[in-house]
Amino acid sequence: MSRSDVSEVSEMPETMSGATTQMQVGISPVRKFANIGMSIIILLATILVVTPLIAIFGYLFAEGIGAIKLIELPANNIRHTLTAGSLLLALTIMVSILSGIALGQTLNAKSLPKFKLISNIIGGAPAIVLGISLFAFLGLTNNFNGFGTLFGIAALVTPVLFNVSERIASNPEVLDNMSASLKIPKWATGLLVALPLLLAAGFLIRQGLALDYLNLDFFVKSPAPEGEAGGGLANAITGSFIMLTLASIIGVVVGISGGIFLAEYPRHPLMPIVRFLSDVLAGIPAIVMGLVAYGILVSSRGFSGYAGALALGFLMIPIVVRTTEEVLKLVPVTVREAGLGLGLPQWIVTLRIVLPAAASGIVTGIMLALARVAGEAAPLIFTAFGSNIVNLNPSQPMSALPLEIYRGATSAYDENQRMAKAGALLLISMIFVASLLARKFSNRK
Amino acid sequence: MSDASKKPANSMMSSGSDRIFEYIILALASIIVLIFFVSLYELGKESWPTLQKIGFNFFVTRDWNPVENEYGAISMIIGTIVTSLAALALSVPLAIASALFIAEYAPKWLADPIGYLVELLAAVPSVVYGLWALFVIAPVLNKWQTTFFDAENYPDRFQLFLDCSKLWAENQTSFQCFFVPSSASGRGLALAIIILTVMILPYTASVARDVIKLVPQDQREAMYALGATKWEVISRAILPYARAGIMGGVILALGRALGETLAVAMVIGDSQDTIKSIWASASTMASVIANQFGDAQEELHRSSVVTLGFVLFFISVIVNMLARFVIQRLTPKGIKL
C-alpha cells in the first residue's frame, strides 16, 4: 500500500509549506484507491458479520415452525403460499414503517413522560407481534423452506425498518411538516401507534380461529418417547422458568449488593479484591461453573433443579455486579450530597435515592444477565440433568429449553431434531425479546 | 437544649444503622469472594486423585484411554489452543472492520440497527449455534468432502485422498494433506473453528466499536487538516489510539473461545487422536468435559475430566489478568477507558 505517501502525511506537521503543497497536489490515485478499497472491504466484512444471524434466524423460522405446527394448512399449494406470503411481506414492511413513523412522532411530541413509556413499550411490540404473525404464516410453508428463509429475513428487517423510520420521524422538521399537513391531535397519534398492533393481533386471531388448526401441544405436552412423533416441550419450558426464577434470586441479591459495594464503598480495603474476583468469575466458562455446582450440591444430594439454578445464579452475578456498579457511578454526587444534607443516613440515601435513580440501568443489567443464562445448557448437563415429565419440584431433576435443544440436536431421530429446532426458535425469540426490552430500558436513561 | 441533645443521638443512630448496612452489603458482596474460593476448593478436591496419581504427566502425555485408565491431556490442550487461535485470527479482522463500519462509515440511521444486530449475535445461545452448524453448515461441508471419496467423478481428489491416507496411517501429515478431508461427516476441527469464529465475533466487535467511538474528535480533525484520506485517518489516528481497548476486546473473545463448550462439543467429533487433517475429528478441554463427565464411572476418569475444568479455570483467570495488563500497558496517556 501507499506507505511512503502516508509517512509523508505524518511528517507534515513540521512545516506549514508541506501542508500547502499537499493541498495543491491533491490526493494521489494510490491513496484514493486505498481509501475507496478499504471502505468497500469494511462494508463487505460487516455484511459477512451480520449474515450468520440472519441465516440462523431464517433457518429456525423455516424449520422450527414446522415442528411447532401452530397452524397447519393442506400442503402442496405453493401458488397459494406465494400469494399469501408476498402479501404478508408487503404488509410487514408497510406496518413497520408506519409504526416507526408513528412512534417517532409521538416521542417528539413532548408529551407526558407516562405516555412516552407506553408508546415505547408499544413501539417495541410491533416487531414482536409481526414476528408472531410471521410464525402463523410460516405454517403455510411447511415443505417450502426457501420461502421460510425469506420470511426469517423479513422478520429481521422489520425492526431495522422500524428503527429507521422512527429516527426519521423523530426529526423535528419532519414532524412539524407532518403534523401541520395531517393536523393530528395527540390521542390520534397514540391510536396510530396502537393500530398496527391491533391489526396484527386481529389478523393472527382470525387466522387461528378460521382455520381451527391451532395446535398448542408444543406448549402444554411433555416430550413423546424418543423417536416418536408428537408431544411438546412443556417440561423444558416450566423447568427453564423455575430455574431462571431461582437463579435470578441469587444473581439479583448478590449482584446488586456487590455493585453497591463497589460503587459506594470505593475506599474499602476489600473493594479491589471483590472487583477483581467478580471480573474473574465473569470469564470462567459456564461448564466449569457446572462442575462447581456439581461438587457443591449434586455429589451429595443428586441431580436437582436447585443445583442447576445455583450454577446459573453464579453465572448471573458478575454481569449484574458490573452493570449495577456502572450505573450507580453515573448517579451524580450532588444527588447523594442533597440526601446527606437533609440529614438522612447514608444507607437510606443509597437505598431510597441512588438505587431508584439508577433503576433502569440495573433492570437492563438483570435482563442482559437473564438473556445470557437462559441459553446456557453447559452448566445444566450435570446439575439439572433433565426430566421427561413436567416437574415443578426443584429438588428433583429438571429439564430446560437449552438442555432439550442440546439433547434433541445430537439425537439420531428426526422427530427429536425437529423438536430441538422448534425449541431453539422459541428460545431465541424469548432471548431477543429480552434484549430488545433491555435496550429500550437503557435508552430511556 | 432539646435540639442539642437530639442531634448527637440522631447522628449516632444513623452511623449505627450505616454500619449495619455496610456489614450487610459487605457480607453479600463477600459471597462473590466465597464463590471463587469454593470453586477453587471443589475443583481442587475433585481433581486431586489425578494430580496425585498422574501428576505432571497428565499435561504432557497423549493417551486418553478410560478402558486402560490412562489419561493424558495434551491432545485436548492442543485442540483448545488450535481452535481458539484460528477462530481469533479469522474473527478479529472481521470484527474490527464491522466496528469501523458502525463507528466511522455508516450514517447514524444505519449504524444503530447494525450495531443492534451485532449485539444480537452475542445473545444467540451456544446450543443454537451448535444446532445451526450441525444442520446447515455440516451438510454443505459434507457435500464437498464426499467428492474426495468419489473415484468416478473426481479421480484426482480420490487419488489425493488415497495418498494422504497412506501418510496418515504412518501417523504423519504434509501441508497439502492437512487440508484434505479424512472423512465425510462434515463435523470436525474445521467446523468447530468456523462456528467459534462466528460466536466470538460480537465480543471483539462491540468492544472495538465502543473504544473507537471514544477516540476524541480532535484526533480525526487534526489528521484531516493535514490532508489525509479517510482510510489514513482510520489507520494512522484512530486505530493506534484505540488499540488498548481493541486488544482488551480481543482477549475477552479469546477467553470466550477457550471456554466455549456445547457448540464445539456438538460439532468437533470428540476424538483424542493426533490432528492430521483440519477436517478430522478432534476435541477441546471443554468439549471433553461436556461429552465425558456424565459417563465417567471410574474415579480417575471423573477426576481427570474435572482436572481439565480446573485447567480451564486457571486459564480464564490468567486471560483476565492478561487483559488488564494489556489495557494498562497499551493505553495512550491521558485516556480513561
Side-chain angles (χ1 to χ4, degrees):
Chain A
M1 230 187 311
S2 56
R3 212 157 230 291
S4 61
D5 287 332
V6 174
S7 65
E8 203 179 300
V9 172
S10 43
E11 278 161 14
M12 214 82 70
E14 274 142 31
T15 51
M16 273 297 285
S17 59
T20 25
T21 350
Q22 185 64 32
M23 258 194 257
Q24 282 159 357
V25 169
I27 299 165
S28 72
V30 181
R31 289 173 57 205
K32 225 179 216 170
F33 182 73
N35 188 31
I36 296 169
M38 281 315 290
S39 48
I40 293 171
I41 289 173
I42 286 173
L43 178 66
L44 290 178
T46 310
I47 293 170
L48 204 61
V49 167
V50 183
T51 313
L53 185 75
I54 295 173
I56 290 174
F57 213 73
Y59 175 73
L60 288 181
F61 257 102
E63 290 284 315
I65 209 72
I68 292 185
K69 285 182 190 150
L70 205 56
I71 292 170
E72 227 171 348
L73 262 193
N76 310 327
N77 197 343
I78 289 177
R79 207 205 289 162
H80 173 81
T81 316
L82 273 172
T83 325
S86 326
L87 270 175
L88 185 80
L89 198 67
L91 187 81
T92 311
I93 291 169
M94 243 172 55
V95 169
S96 55
I97 291 177
L98 230 121
S99 54
I101 290 174
L103 179 68
Q105 260 201 326
T106 326
L107 281 185
N108 230 8
K110 294 209 173 70
S111 43
L112 294 167
K114 232 180 219 171
F115 187 63
K116 247 185 189 175
L117 176 66
I118 295 168
S119 61
N120 236 337
I121 294 168
I122 298 176
I128 300 161
V129 173
L130 278 167
I132 297 170
S133 45
L134 283 177
F135 276 25
F137 244 101
L138 275 166
L140 303 171
T141 63
N142 269 349
N143 39 10
F144 195 36
N145 286 340
F147 206 61
T149 311
L150 198 74
F151 276 130
I153 295 167
L156 273 179
V157 165
T158 309
V160 176
L161 280 176
F162 174 75
N163 257 326
V164 171
S165 37
E166 178 192 337
R167 235 158 259 291
I168 294 169
S170 47
N171 185 344
E173 282 167 31
V174 177
L175 173 75
D176 284 350
N177 291 343
M178 276 191 71
S179 51
S181 57
L182 291 175
K183 286 175 188 154
I184 321 174
K186 224 183 270 174
W187 59 267
T189 328
L191 202 69
L192 200 62
V193 173
L195 197 65
L197 186 77
L198 297 176
L199 274 178
F203 169 76
L204 182 65
I205 293 167
R206 210 180 56 234
Q207 289 289 321
L209 289 182
L211 296 171
D212 200 28
Y213 275 114
L214 210 58
N215 182 345
L216 287 177
D217 275 4
F218 179 79
F219 299 98
V220 298
K221 279 197 179 165
S222 289
E226 191 157 0
E228 279 179 31
L233 286 180
N235 59 336
I237 295 168
T238 52
S240 269
F241 183 77
I242 291 171
M243 282 195 282
L244 285 177
T245 313
L246 292 172
S248 348
I249 295 171
I250 302 172
V252 168
V253 171
V254 179
I256 292 184
S257 314
I260 292 176
F261 179 68
L262 293 183
E264 304 291 313
Y265 301 95
R267 271 184 233 102
H268 199 284
L270 272 178
M271 200 287 275
I273 302 175
V274 173
R275 148 103 36 88
F276 175 69
L277 290 184
S278 152
D279 278 1
V280 165
L281 284 187
I284 287 175
I287 188 134
V288 177
M289 272 304 170
L291 289 178
V292 171
Y294 178 91
I296 295 174
L297 278 181
V298 182
S299 55
S300 52
R301 286 151 200 255
F303 299 114
S304 69
Y306 285 125
L310 191 72
L312 295 183
F314 284 179
L315 289 170
M316 278 181 81
I317 290 171
I319 308 174
V320 180
V321 167
R322 163 151 295 187
T323 41
T324 306
E325 186 199 353
E326 273 168 14
V327 286
L328 285 185
K329 280 185 174 166
L330 286 180
V331 177
V333 186
T334 45
V335 172
R336 293 187 177 86
E337 282 167 354
L340 292 172
L342 289 171
L344 297 174
Q346 203 188 345
W347 66 279
I348 292 188
V349 173
T350 305
L351 285 186
R352 302 292 300 273
I353 298 176
V354 180
L355 270 189
S360 70
I362 295 175
V363 171
T364 308
I366 295 170
M367 291 290 236
L368 286 178
L370 266 178
R372 164 87 203 284
V373 299
E376 285 290 359
L380 298 180
I381 303 177
F382 327 122
T383 52
F385 191 71
S387 142
N388 268 334
I389 48 163
V390 176
N391 170 27
L392 302 177
N393 177 5
S395 61
Q396 297 295 317
M398 268 188 160
S399 193
L401 269 178
L403 210 52
E404 288 295 327
I405 298 169
Y406 174 60
R407 298 256 157 85
T410 47
S411 153
Y413 295 102
D414 202 39
E415 269 307 316
N416 297 36
Q417 292 180 359
R418 278 163 67 86
M419 208 46 107
K421 290 168 193 165
L425 180 61
L426 181 66
L427 181 66
I428 213 174
S429 313
M430 283 183 348
I431 287 172
F432 281 6
V433 170
S435 20
L436 203 78
L437 286 178
R439 209 176 148 84
K440 283 279 168 201
F441 268 112
S442 64
N443 276 352
R444 295 199 307 122
K445 198 161 49 185
Chain B
M1 261 315 260
S2 62
D3 268 17
S5 63
K6 242 183 199 169
K7 251 190 180 167
N10 205 347
S11 74
M12 259 174 70
M13 250 176 68
S14 76
S15 78
S17 58
D18 270 351
R19 203 166 298 147
I20 295 170
F21 180 71
E22 192 182 329
Y23 286 144
I24 295 174
I25 289 291
L26 183 60
L28 287 171
S30 337
I31 292 182
I32 296 167
V33 181
L34 190 72
I35 291 173
F36 179 83
F37 286 107
V38 166
S39 309
L40 211 59
Y41 167 74
E42 290 291 346
L43 293 171
K45 188 184 73 181
E46 286 277 327
S47 51
W48 183 243
T50 296
L51 294 176
Q52 201 184 21
K53 281 181 196 154
I54 306 179
F56 186 69
N57 276 340
F58 182 76
F59 303 101
V60 291
T61 53
R62 175 170 292 281
D63 298 311
W64 182 277
N65 192 343
V67 182
E68 304 273 328
N69 237 1
E70 285 174 335
Y71 302 98
I74 193 75
S75 63
M76 294 136 211
I77 294 173
I78 291 175
T80 306
I81 293 171
V82 168
T83 48
S84 302
L85 290 185
L88 211 59
L90 289 174
S91 79
V92 166
L94 287 175
I96 293 177
S98 73
L100 283 175
F101 181 77
I102 293 166
E104 296 293 323
Y105 283 92
K108 197 174 172 351
W109 58 266
L110 187 63
D112 278 5
I114 290 188
Y116 180 50
L117 287 185
V118 172
E119 275 169 29
L120 277 186
L121 211 52
V124 176
S126 181
V127 271
V128 175
Y129 276 118
L131 183 144
W132 181 64
L134 216 50
F135 291 135
V136 178
I137 308 183
V140 176
L141 295 181
N142 173 33
K143 213 174 195 176
W144 175 78
Q145 285 171 348
T146 340
T147 60
F148 282 85
F149 301 88
D150 190 348
E152 268 177 38
N153 298 325
Y154 299 92
D156 294 359
R157 291 183 179 183
F158 186 63
Q159 189 54 45
L160 191 61
F161 169 73
L162 287 182
D163 293 347
C164 286
S165 319
K166 273 178 213 153
L167 213 57
W168 291 331
E170 294 160 20
N171 227 350
Q172 279 178 329
T173 189
S174 67
F175 181 76
Q176 195 186 16
C177 287
F178 192 66
F179 295 96
V180 171
S182 56
S183 71
S185 66
R187 302 187 197 189
L189 193 63
L191 186 54
I193 292 172
I194 293 172
I195 204 66
L196 264 183
T197 305
V198 177
M199 292 180 76
I200 61 177
L201 264 175
Y203 296 104
T204 319
S206 57
V207 173
R209 182 196 58 191
D210 289 347
V211 270
I212 288 170
K213 277 188 178 162
L214 281 179
V215 175
Q217 203 58 34
D218 301 357
Q219 295 274 329
R220 299 184 177 94
E221 281 162 9
M223 200 70 190
Y224 278 126
L226 294 172
T229 62
K230 182 151 199 159
W231 170 242
E232 284 160 2
V233 172
I234 288 171
S235 61
R236 305 276 138 176
I238 295 175
L239 287 182
Y241 200 92
R243 63 175 188 261
I246 294 176
M247 272 309 282
V250 169
I251 293 174
L252 178 73
L254 176 67
R256 291 266 165 232
L258 290 169
E260 192 46 63
T261 311
L262 282 186
V264 175
M266 284 160 90
V267 302
I268 202 166
D270 195 25
S271 147
Q272 277 83 43
D273 294 340
T274 329
I275 300 167
K276 281 168 279 186
S277 157
I278 197 166
W279 305 102
S281 293
S283 59
T284 68
M285 291 190 273
S287 80
V288 168
I289 302 175
N291 283 330
Q292 299 194 2
F293 186 75
D295 307 328
Q297 300 297 329
E298 291 280 332
E299 191 204 7
L300 200 59
H301 189 189
R302 174 157 292 219
S303 165
S304 299
V305 174
V306 177
T307 309
L308 293 175
F310 205 23
V311 174
L312 272 181
F313 184 86
F314 275 113
I315 289 177
S316 59
V317 175
I318 291 167
V319 165
N320 192 290
M321 282 158 74
L322 188 71
R324 286 164 167 252
F325 176 74
V326 164
I327 289 174
Q328 260 175 17
R329 259 321 269 287
L330 284 181
T331 305
K333 271 177 194 151
I335 312 181
K336 252 183 94 183
L337 282 177

